[in-house]
Amino acid sequence: MSIFSDSLIIITTLDLFNKELMVSIRKIIQTIFFIYTIFAGIWFYVYINELKNENYSILKPSSVEGFLPISALLGLKRFLLTGTYDPVHPAGLTILIAAIVMSIFVKKSFCSHICPVGFLSELISNAGFRFTINRWISGFLGSVKYILLLFFLYVIFYQMSLQQIIFFQNSPYNKIADAKMLYFFLDISTTGFIVIISLILLTYLFKNFWCRFLCPYGALLGILSWLSPFKIKREKANCIDCQKCREACPSDIKVYNKESIFAVNCIGCRECAQNETAVKQHCLRMINKDRYFGKNENLLSIAATLIFLLIFIAAYFTGHWNSPVSNEEYARFLDSIRSLSHP
């Protein structure tokens, strides 16, 4: 009897551990990428200071180029028109391509697994009040990121010629745009500080405020995610209308009154389907997940991460990750960084 009881306890414990792992593996992946982002930021700060001290042997952390989405869009247009990969910030273009591919295949998984801003946004939201926003106001706010996206796409893909893009890419301003970004945060203006504090406060009050209403990058990935074969489906017969799914959703989507979630704000995190009530009631499932990944919930997160890592590895070993701009040239532009303006 004792052996039976011990075995039952062990099986129950393993089952609980497995369920907990299914819920937390995405957050583990998020945390790892966020820690790396912090590490890369410190590394970049050291890199800049070493160049100032004329140490040109130090290696630049190319991943910081992921914070230059406009430059990446310029690089994407040039790449599509000419086949020429971004000659200044190749890592930025690689990260953009990875985010696009991830969205097409596994929803907006870049936002829910890789993006450090998304990680911070969820962290602040989980500690906040989670007030709801009137649907009319929410609808108006939700249009802002699409207006920003349309503006950037119009300027880059319609107004700017290929010659203008090449001129900008080769400009001193673009070559040290990542350093200018660092200086923005190190020597932040009063306006910039107020904007950042306001966004943090709004995120504390309203779930994922930046991601849901203001991020044009997320808007682009959301539109592309419509092509993904994976969608959350609600089994109406099993639903008890507890609305726990909406509470769990980082994007505050009203999952409980939809049959299938086609919302562009869905980041493919599956938090709605993995809350305790949804698991018990079998009321939410992801379409096509079992077909491609079986019953294991972890595999979708692992697949999303592998797509990103494989694209990174391919770019790294084909010379499309590290910038060809030499440390000596970079250091020369650093001397006049304060006076460099947009060309």
Side-chain angles (χ1 to χ4, degrees), residues 232-242 244-245 255 258-259 272-273 275-286:
I232 291 291
K233 179 176 176 59
R234 183 174 66 97
E235 303 291 350
K236 292 172 66 175
N238 298 337
C239 180
I240 59 173
D241 199 31
C242 66
K244 293 289 184 183
C245 48
V255 182
K258 301 179 183 296
E259 289 191 17
C272 59
N275 78 81
E276 187 178 350
T277 305
V279 172
K280 187 183 296 184
Q281 293 297 131
H282 303 288
C283 54
L284 294 170
R285 64 182 179 89
M286 182 158 273

Side-chain angles (χ1 to χ4, degrees), residues 61-252:
S62 298
S63 55
V64 297
E65 295 175 6
F67 288 92
L68 303 173
I70 305 304
S71 178
L73 278 174
L74 290 167
L76 180 63
K77 178 178 177 179
R78 182 178 180 181
F79 178 64
L80 293 174
L81 290 177
T82 68
T84 301
Y85 215 81
D86 194 317
V88 178
H89 298 299
L93 177 56
T94 296
I95 291 170
L96 175 60
I97 290 173
I100 288 172
V101 173
M102 290 172 72
S103 296
I104 292 172
F105 286 100
V106 281
K107 296 291 291 179
K108 283 172 66 178
S109 50
F110 180 85
C111 301
S112 56
H113 291 75
I114 311 295
C115 180
V117 178
F119 173 81
L120 276 178
S121 185
E122 282 190 51
L123 208 63
I124 296 168
S125 295
N126 290 337
F129 289 105
R130 301 189 181 192
F131 291 134
T132 56
I133 302 177
N134 176 279
R135 68 185 182 116
W136 297 109
I137 297 175
S138 179
F140 168 75
L141 290 173
S143 67
V144 173
K145 64 182 180 183
Y146 295 101
I147 293 171
L148 290 172
L149 174 63
L150 284 172
F151 170 75
F152 291 131
L153 293 178
Y154 173 75
V155 171
I156 293 171
F157 285 89
Y158 181 76
Q159 279 198 327
M160 289 187 74
S161 66
L162 179 60
Q163 290 71 26
Q164 287 175 316
I165 289 175
I166 294 172
F167 176 77
F168 176 84
Q169 287 182 321
N170 292 325
S171 68
Y173 177 91
N174 182 54
K175 287 183 178 180
I176 57 169
D178 39 15
K180 289 187 75 69
M181 173 195 63
L182 176 66
Y183 276 70
F184 169 82
F185 288 102
L186 292 178
D187 189 22
I188 193 166
S189 66
T190 303
T191 303
F193 180 77
I194 291 172
V195 168
I196 290 174
I197 292 299
S198 298
L199 287 173
I200 291 172
L201 179 60
L202 286 167
T203 303
Y204 188 79
L205 297 175
F206 309 102
K207 272 196 211 178
N208 286 16
F209 191 87
W210 166 262
C211 302
R212 289 166 58 198
F213 302 122
L214 300 175
C215 180
Y217 213 144
L220 173 63
L221 300 183
I223 293 170
L224 293 172
S225 73
W226 273 26
L227 300 173
S228 172
F230 303 104
K231 303 283 190 298
I232 291 291
K233 179 176 176 59
R234 183 174 66 97
E235 303 291 350
K236 292 172 66 175
N238 298 337
C239 180
I240 59 173
D241 199 31
C242 66
Q243 300 189 20
K244 293 289 184 183
C245 48
R246 182 185 182 183
E247 290 178 22
C249 177
S251 300
D252 198 36

Side-chain angles (χ1 to χ4, degrees), residues 258-273:
K258 301 179 183 296
E259 289 191 17
S260 295
I261 309 303
F262 286 91
V264 289
N265 276 341
C266 177
I267 59 176
C269 65
R270 309 182 315 284
E271 293 289 328
C272 59

